[in-house]
Amino acid sequence: MNKINVAIDGPASAGKSTIAKKVAEELGFIYLDTGAMYRTLTYAALAKQVSLEDEEALYRLLRETEITFSAGKEKQHVYLNAADVTEIIRSEDVTQNVSLVSSFAKVRKEMVARQKEIAKSGGVVMDGRDIGTVVLPQAEVKIFMTATAEERALRRYKENVAKGINTSLEELTEDMRRRDHLDSTRAISPLKRADDAIELDSTHLTIDEVVQEILAVITQKNKTLTSAESTIL
Ligand code: CDP
Ligand code: CDP
């Protein structure tokens, strides 16, 4: 019996990773943050001074780059080969360049292959931009999470304040809009709601409310699947 897969897509700071992580914990599933994979490659390219415009060079770099995640209940760490890059991949420099790096077909193809491999036996909650449309089109549960650009910028602003990072709300709102635009208009695998995804606007919802809504969708879905098809248990 296979476990189901859960795909969560949506724009920056909609709450995908926070919520996906909690849903995975509740179900005892693996959580995979695909944005962290694109961020790690972007960081590696910046560190090695690989041109961010050079698709071939980025692809070659990715082929020699192992991206792994720590397991367990504590904060998930991200590793580039053996180095812990959890914090550095959230830097402004990476954030500014990640949409460019992730726009290349060869990069995406390799990333998608790795992501599919991780989810092949089910039991994965994966978040990103193209999970429901490209990576896991057969995912039993698909959520498209949204929130207004203002609310998403405010969330990022509060995160930065807590970390002692000084940014203006205006700059963050502008960055959200710029990345939303790049991610949803790129030629390959643009950010878009899968036809069979449930749209969930989290603007006025707490993290727990969103988690509970998704768990309810999963429970409901599981009832419609025969035990031979899939189970969450
Ligand atoms: O956490 P945040 O919303 O800032 O973004 P992220 O999930 O870390 O993703 C960073 C960037 O990676 C996005 O803006 C996309 O350009 C890219 N990305 C992608 O193209 N496809 C994915 N499946 C995940 C992320
Ligand atoms: O992964 P993504 O970029 O979509 O968002 P995130 O990093 O999970 O969430 C961005 C911020 O919004 C975090 O600080 C969350 O705690 C916060 N958040 C919130 O305040 N209310 C929600 N309903 C969801 C997330």
Side-chain angles (χ1 to χ4, degrees):
M1 272 186 295
N2 278 331
K3 289 181 178 176
I4 64 164
N5 282 319
V6 180
I8 303 183
D9 291 300
S13 266
K16 301 179 300 296
S17 52
T18 308
I19 280 140
K21 217 175 295 169
K22 285 183 180 283
V23 169
E25 249 173 54
E26 287 288 329
L27 300 173
F29 279 20
I30 291 166
Y31 163 57
L32 186 71
D33 177 354
T34 64
M37 296 173 73
Y38 289 97
R39 283 176 177 273
T40 301
L41 175 64
T42 305
Y43 169 71
L46 288 166
K48 292 200 164 187
Q49 299 187 327
V50 169
S51 163
L52 304 184
E53 313 268 346
D54 187 339
E55 179 168 8
E56 268 310 316
L58 288 169
Y59 174 68
R60 274 199 307 276
L61 176 63
L62 177 57
R63 294 285 297 176
E64 65 197 38
T65 302
E66 202 179 54
I67 304 169
T68 50
F69 295 86
S70 63
K73 273 198 145 197
E74 66 291 347
K75 178 178 164 155
Q76 195 176 54
H77 284 245
V78 190
Y79 299 92
L80 158 60
N81 299 324
D84 187 338
V85 293
T86 313
E87 298 301 330
I88 195 93
I89 63 167
R90 305 281 153 201
S91 69
E92 210 32 52
D93 209 11
V94 172
T95 302
Q96 288 294 329
N97 290 295
V98 60
S99 290
L100 172 61
V101 169
S102 57
S103 67
F104 294 110
K106 290 190 97 167
V107 167
R108 300 204 70 83
K109 197 165 172 228
E110 172 68 18
M111 290 291 197
V112 168
R114 294 186 189 191
Q115 293 154 6
K116 277 181 189 285
E117 178 63 25
I118 292 168
K120 70 173 187 233
S121 307
V124 173
V125 182
M126 200 181 287
D127 81 313
R129 303 293 188 285
D130 59 342
I131 312 306
T133 50
V134 177
V135 182
L136 303 176
Q138 313 296 340
E140 287 80 359
V141 173
K142 296 182 187 177
I143 307 289
F144 193 78
M145 203 177 286
T146 62
T148 60
E150 290 75 13
E151 171 65 19
R152 290 184 287 119
L154 187 61
R155 289 176 184 174
R156 198 48 64 94
Y157 179 76
K158 287 182 187 163
E159 256 179 33
N160 285 353
V161 169
K163 287 187 201 160
I165 301 170
N166 192 8
T167 34
S168 79
L169 191 54
E170 290 70 31
E171 265 174 60
L172 286 171
T173 312
E174 194 38 51
D175 175 59
M176 286 301 152
R177 293 219 165 92
R178 187 186 64 84
R179 258 192 315 140
D180 288 353
H181 179 73
L182 286 173
D183 291 345
S184 50
T185 57
R186 70 178 171 222
I188 305 132
S189 316
L191 167 66
K192 121 179 193 307
R193 185 175 78 85
D195 292 338
D196 52 351
I198 293 172
E199 187 157 339
L200 218 165
D201 182 346
S202 77
T203 307
H204 303 294
L205 298 178
T206 65
I207 292 168
D208 271 351
E209 285 169 337
V210 181
V211 170
Q212 291 313 319
E213 277 210 31
I214 295 177
L215 289 174
V217 170
I218 292 170
T219 306
Q220 191 54 38
K221 179 73 194 183
N222 212 39
K223 281 187 193 150
T224 68
L225 298 169
T226 68
S227 58
E229 283 172 325
S230 270
T231 178
I232 56 168
L233 299 174

